[in-house]
Amino acid sequence: GGHFGSLIFSTKPPEGSAQTGASVSQEVAALILLKVPGATSTSWNIESFSPEKSVFWSNPVSFIARVKNTGSVHVKPVGRIELTDIFGKKTTLELPSKNVFPGAIRRLEASGSVPLIGYYRAELFLEVAGKQKTRELSFFALPGKVLLIIFAVVLFLFIVARRSNGRLGRAAKVLLGRE
């Protein structure tokens, strides 16, 4: 099965006679993961896969995958997220590879920049010991500042047109020579 532990090395501050004040000590730890011969099971699943937000108004776009280890030995999933825009262009985000201990759930995060052009499909690919699992989701990435400017300009033009009481229409006809 799987076993894990750590070795901790530390320094001891010098002992003095009746000293006051602060002293410094240091510690270094090393994590040890072992797989010993015997009955083991490597079983895991993707607990969840979600974007940080349902609509991204600016970069970066961020995703969270949660991996649950249901086996008896630690696993270290390797993976990526492929983002596909409405034109079929793909962007790949690499997920950090981290150990997941038996019975635990590990949160894996990835983020990156994409053109903010609308609907995206995100596909998660995770692999452990040659066995791959996937999940898929969709989200929107829109240029918030550009949309706000366009909305403000349209609103301004609408207000100006309403206040002119038809004077703009008559002026346009005069300028175009229709009156």
Side-chain angles (χ1 to χ4, degrees), residues 84-103:
T84 308
D85 66 17
I86 57 177
F87 303 113
K89 183 177 181 252
K90 292 190 178 201
T91 304
T92 301
L93 306 177
E94 295 297 326
L95 281 167
S97 185
K98 296 182 178 180
N99 288 311
V100 186
F101 295 110

PDB file of all heavy atoms in Angstrom, residues 84-103:
ATOM      1  N   THR A  84     -11.444  26.395 -26.316  1.00  0.00           N
ATOM      2  CA  THR A  84     -11.751  26.551 -27.728  1.00  0.00           C
ATOM      3  C   THR A  84     -12.732  27.694 -27.881  1.00  0.00           C
ATOM      4  O   THR A  84     -13.808  27.689 -27.268  1.00  0.00           O
ATOM      5  CB  THR A  84     -12.370  25.253 -28.303  1.00  0.00           C
ATOM      6  OG1 THR A  84     -11.513  24.156 -27.975  1.00  0.00           O
ATOM      7  CG2 THR A  84     -12.522  25.348 -29.804  1.00  0.00           C
ATOM      8  N   ASP A  85     -12.373  28.703 -28.710  1.00  0.00           N
ATOM      9  CA  ASP A  85     -13.267  29.846 -28.915  1.00  0.00           C
ATOM     10  C   ASP A  85     -14.291  29.545 -30.005  1.00  0.00           C
ATOM     11  O   ASP A  85     -14.316  28.447 -30.570  1.00  0.00           O
ATOM     12  CB  ASP A  85     -12.477  31.129 -29.198  1.00  0.00           C
ATOM     13  CG  ASP A  85     -11.722  31.097 -30.518  1.00  0.00           C
ATOM     14  OD1 ASP A  85     -12.022  30.256 -31.384  1.00  0.00           O
ATOM     15  OD2 ASP A  85     -10.810  31.932 -30.681  1.00  0.00           O
ATOM     16  N   ILE A  86     -15.141  30.522 -30.335  1.00  0.00           N
ATOM     17  CA  ILE A  86     -16.218  30.305 -31.307  1.00  0.00           C
ATOM     18  C   ILE A  86     -15.695  30.093 -32.722  1.00  0.00           C
ATOM     19  O   ILE A  86     -16.423  29.608 -33.580  1.00  0.00           O
ATOM     20  CB  ILE A  86     -17.234  31.470 -31.281  1.00  0.00           C
ATOM     21  CG1 ILE A  86     -16.542  32.809 -31.550  1.00  0.00           C
ATOM     22  CG2 ILE A  86     -17.972  31.504 -29.978  1.00  0.00           C
ATOM     23  CD1 ILE A  86     -17.479  33.990 -31.624  1.00  0.00           C
ATOM     24  N   PHE A  87     -14.438  30.420 -32.977  1.00  0.00           N
ATOM     25  CA  PHE A  87     -13.839  30.224 -34.300  1.00  0.00           C
ATOM     26  C   PHE A  87     -13.027  28.931 -34.380  1.00  0.00           C
ATOM     27  O   PHE A  87     -12.429  28.635 -35.410  1.00  0.00           O
ATOM     28  CB  PHE A  87     -12.945  31.415 -34.664  1.00  0.00           C
ATOM     29  CG  PHE A  87     -13.678  32.720 -34.634  1.00  0.00           C
ATOM     30  CD1 PHE A  87     -13.362  33.682 -33.689  1.00  0.00           C
ATOM     31  CD2 PHE A  87     -14.691  32.989 -35.538  1.00  0.00           C
ATOM     32  CE1 PHE A  87     -14.040  34.886 -33.642  1.00  0.00           C
ATOM     33  CE2 PHE A  87     -15.379  34.198 -35.504  1.00  0.00           C
ATOM     34  CZ  PHE A  87     -15.051  35.142 -34.554  1.00  0.00           C
ATOM     35  N   GLY A  88     -12.957  28.164 -33.291  1.00  0.00           N
ATOM     36  CA  GLY A  88     -12.221  26.907 -33.274  1.00  0.00           C
ATOM     37  C   GLY A  88     -10.765  27.032 -32.865  1.00  0.00           C
ATOM     38  O   GLY A  88     -10.039  26.043 -32.834  1.00  0.00           O
ATOM     39  N   LYS A  89     -10.322  28.246 -32.515  1.00  0.00           N
ATOM     40  CA  LYS A  89      -8.924  28.436 -32.092  1.00  0.00           C
ATOM     41  C   LYS A  89      -8.763  27.907 -30.668  1.00  0.00           C
ATOM     42  O   LYS A  89      -9.552  28.205 -29.779  1.00  0.00           O
ATOM     43  CB  LYS A  89      -8.559  29.914 -32.144  1.00  0.00           C
ATOM     44  CG  LYS A  89      -7.103  30.171 -31.788  1.00  0.00           C
ATOM     45  CD  LYS A  89      -6.749  31.643 -31.910  1.00  0.00           C
ATOM     46  CE  LYS A  89      -5.303  31.845 -31.574  1.00  0.00           C
ATOM     47  NZ  LYS A  89      -5.096  32.493 -30.307  1.00  0.00           N
ATOM     48  N   LYS A  90      -7.675  27.131 -30.452  1.00  0.00           N
ATOM     49  CA  LYS A  90      -7.456  26.507 -29.150  1.00  0.00           C
ATOM     50  C   LYS A  90      -6.326  27.179 -28.384  1.00  0.00           C
ATOM     51  O   LYS A  90      -5.333  27.592 -28.958  1.00  0.00           O
ATOM     52  CB  LYS A  90      -7.129  25.023 -29.322  1.00  0.00           C
ATOM     53  CG  LYS A  90      -8.305  24.227 -29.826  1.00  0.00           C
ATOM     54  CD  LYS A  90      -8.051  22.758 -29.766  1.00  0.00           C
ATOM     55  CE  LYS A  90      -9.304  22.053 -30.254  1.00  0.00           C
ATOM     56  NZ  LYS A  90      -9.384  20.710 -29.819  1.00  0.00           N
ATOM     57  N   THR A  91      -6.521  27.269 -27.074  1.00  0.00           N
ATOM     58  CA  THR A  91      -5.512  27.749 -26.134  1.00  0.00           C
ATOM     59  C   THR A  91      -5.388  26.689 -25.046  1.00  0.00           C
ATOM     60  O   THR A  91      -6.395  26.189 -24.561  1.00  0.00           O
ATOM     61  CB  THR A  91      -5.934  29.095 -25.510  1.00  0.00           C
ATOM     62  OG1 THR A  91      -6.185  30.031 -26.539  1.00  0.00           O
ATOM     63  CG2 THR A  91      -4.878  29.620 -24.572  1.00  0.00           C
ATOM     64  N   THR A  92      -4.170  26.356 -24.649  1.00  0.00           N
ATOM     65  CA  THR A  92      -3.963  25.323 -23.636  1.00  0.00           C
ATOM     66  C   THR A  92      -3.408  25.929 -22.356  1.00  0.00           C
ATOM     67  O   THR A  92      -2.477  26.715 -22.383  1.00  0.00           O
ATOM     68  CB  THR A  92      -2.983  24.247 -24.162  1.00  0.00           C
ATOM     69  OG1 THR A  92      -3.529  23.677 -25.346  1.00  0.00           O
ATOM     70  CG2 THR A  92      -2.776  23.157 -23.135  1.00  0.00           C
ATOM     71  N   LEU A  93      -4.020  25.554 -21.240  1.00  0.00           N
ATOM     72  CA  LEU A  93      -3.543  25.944 -19.912  1.00  0.00           C
ATOM     73  C   LEU A  93      -3.060  24.681 -19.203  1.00  0.00           C
ATOM     74  O   LEU A  93      -3.772  23.681 -19.153  1.00  0.00           O
ATOM     75  CB  LEU A  93      -4.674  26.578 -19.089  1.00  0.00           C
ATOM     76  CG  LEU A  93      -5.421  27.755 -19.700  1.00  0.00           C
ATOM     77  CD1 LEU A  93      -6.554  28.187 -18.776  1.00  0.00           C
ATOM     78  CD2 LEU A  93      -4.476  28.903 -19.939  1.00  0.00           C
ATOM     79  N   GLU A  94      -1.840  24.717 -18.688  1.00  0.00           N
ATOM     80  CA  GLU A  94      -1.284  23.563 -17.977  1.00  0.00           C
ATOM     81  C   GLU A  94      -1.697  23.610 -16.507  1.00  0.00           C
ATOM     82  O   GLU A  94      -1.648  24.657 -15.876  1.00  0.00           O
ATOM     83  CB  GLU A  94       0.238  23.558 -18.078  1.00  0.00           C
ATOM     84  CG  GLU A  94       0.774  23.375 -19.489  1.00  0.00           C
ATOM     85  CD  GLU A  94       0.415  22.043 -20.115  1.00  0.00           C
ATOM     86  OE1 GLU A  94       0.348  21.034 -19.375  1.00  0.00           O
ATOM     87  OE2 GLU A  94       0.196  22.024 -21.336  1.00  0.00           O
ATOM     88  N   LEU A  95      -2.097  22.457 -15.986  1.00  0.00           N
ATOM     89  CA  LEU A  95      -2.426  22.342 -14.570  1.00  0.00           C
ATOM     90  C   LEU A  95      -1.182  21.909 -13.796  1.00  0.00           C
ATOM     91  O   LEU A  95      -0.402  21.093 -14.289  1.00  0.00           O
ATOM     92  CB  LEU A  95      -3.519  21.296 -14.357  1.00  0.00           C
ATOM     93  CG  LEU A  95      -4.932  21.745 -14.655  1.00  0.00           C
ATOM     94  CD1 LEU A  95      -5.865  20.554 -14.708  1.00  0.00           C
ATOM     95  CD2 LEU A  95      -5.403  22.710 -13.596  1.00  0.00           C
ATOM     96  N   PRO A  96      -0.994  22.427 -12.585  1.00  0.00           N
ATOM     97  CA  PRO A  96       0.139  21.970 -11.781  1.00  0.00           C
ATOM     98  C   PRO A  96      -0.085  20.522 -11.354  1.00  0.00           C
ATOM     99  O   PRO A  96      -1.207  20.117 -11.072  1.00  0.00           O
ATOM    100  CB  PRO A  96       0.117  22.919 -10.578  1.00  0.00           C
ATOM    101  CG  PRO A  96      -1.287  23.387 -10.483  1.00  0.00           C
ATOM    102  CD  PRO A  96      -1.812  23.411 -11.893  1.00  0.00           C
ATOM    103  N   SER A  97       0.966  19.742 -11.337  1.00  0.00           N
ATOM    104  CA  SER A  97       0.881  18.341 -10.932  1.00  0.00           C
ATOM    105  C   SER A  97       1.182  18.263  -9.437  1.00  0.00           C
ATOM    106  O   SER A  97       2.287  18.568  -9.002  1.00  0.00           O
ATOM    107  CB  SER A  97       1.887  17.518 -11.739  1.00  0.00           C
ATOM    108  OG  SER A  97       1.737  16.163 -11.451  1.00  0.00           O
ATOM    109  N   LYS A  98       0.182  17.859  -8.657  1.00  0.00           N
ATOM    110  CA  LYS A  98       0.333  17.794  -7.202  1.00  0.00           C
ATOM    111  C   LYS A  98      -0.123  16.435  -6.686  1.00  0.00           C
ATOM    112  O   LYS A  98      -1.034  15.829  -7.243  1.00  0.00           O
ATOM    113  CB  LYS A  98      -0.495  18.898  -6.534  1.00  0.00           C
ATOM    114  CG  LYS A  98      -0.030  20.294  -6.881  1.00  0.00           C
ATOM    115  CD  LYS A  98      -0.850  21.333  -6.145  1.00  0.00           C
ATOM    116  CE  LYS A  98      -0.360  22.731  -6.445  1.00  0.00           C
ATOM    117  NZ  LYS A  98      -1.153  23.736  -5.746  1.00  0.00           N
ATOM    118  N   ASN A  99       0.488  15.990  -5.605  1.00  0.00           N
ATOM    119  CA  ASN A  99       0.105  14.718  -4.994  1.00  0.00           C
ATOM    120  C   ASN A  99      -1.265  14.820  -4.348  1.00  0.00           C
ATOM    121  O   ASN A  99      -1.600  15.831  -3.727  1.00  0.00           O
ATOM    122  CB  ASN A  99       1.122  14.306  -3.927  1.00  0.00           C
ATOM    123  CG  ASN A  99       2.424  13.861  -4.523  1.00  0.00           C
ATOM    124  OD1 ASN A  99       2.439  13.047  -5.438  1.00  0.00           O
ATOM    125  ND2 ASN A  99       3.521  14.392  -4.014  1.00  0.00           N
ATOM    126  N   VAL A 100      -2.041  13.734  -4.472  1.00  0.00           N
ATOM    127  CA  VAL A 100      -3.336  13.612  -3.799  1.00  0.00           C
ATOM    128  C   VAL A 100      -3.256  12.347  -2.961  1.00  0.00           C
ATOM    129  O   VAL A 100      -3.091  11.245  -3.484  1.00  0.00           O
ATOM    130  CB  VAL A 100      -4.498  13.523  -4.817  1.00  0.00           C
ATOM    131  CG1 VAL A 100      -5.831  13.539  -4.077  1.00  0.00           C
ATOM    132  CG2 VAL A 100      -4.437  14.645  -5.839  1.00  0.00           C
ATOM    133  N   PHE A 101      -3.361  12.499  -1.661  1.00  0.00           N
ATOM    134  CA  PHE A 101      -3.240  11.374  -0.747  1.00  0.00           C
ATOM    135  C   PHE A 101      -4.544  10.575  -0.681  1.00  0.00           C
ATOM    136  O   PHE A 101      -5.615  11.121  -0.973  1.00  0.00           O
ATOM    137  CB  PHE A 101      -2.836  11.858   0.644  1.00  0.00           C
ATOM    138  CG  PHE A 101      -1.470  12.484   0.665  1.00  0.00           C
ATOM    139  CD1 PHE A 101      -1.308  13.840   0.858  1.00  0.00           C
ATOM    140  CD2 PHE A 101      -0.355  11.701   0.466  1.00  0.00           C
ATOM    141  CE1 PHE A 101      -0.045  14.410   0.864  1.00  0.00           C
ATOM    142  CE2 PHE A 101       0.913  12.256   0.465  1.00  0.00           C
ATOM    143  CZ  PHE A 101       1.065  13.617   0.662  1.00  0.00           C
ATOM    144  N   PRO A 102      -4.485   9.313  -0.286  1.00  0.00           N
ATOM    145  CA  PRO A 102      -5.697   8.492  -0.198  1.00  0.00           C
ATOM    146  C   PRO A 102      -6.758   9.139   0.694  1.00  0.00           C
ATOM    147  O   PRO A 102      -6.462   9.613   1.784  1.00  0.00           O
ATOM    148  CB  PRO A 102      -5.199   7.180   0.415  1.00  0.00           C
ATOM    149  CG  PRO A 102      -3.759   7.116   0.031  1.00  0.00           C
ATOM    150  CD  PRO A 102      -3.284   8.544   0.046  1.00  0.00           C
ATOM    151  N   GLY A 103      -7.981   9.184   0.177  1.00  0.00           N
ATOM    152  CA  GLY A 103      -9.098   9.763   0.920  1.00  0.00           C
ATOM    153  C   GLY A 103      -9.172  11.276   0.865  1.00  0.00           C
ATOM    154  O   GLY A 103     -10.078  11.877   1.434  1.00  0.00           O
TER     155      GLY A 103
END
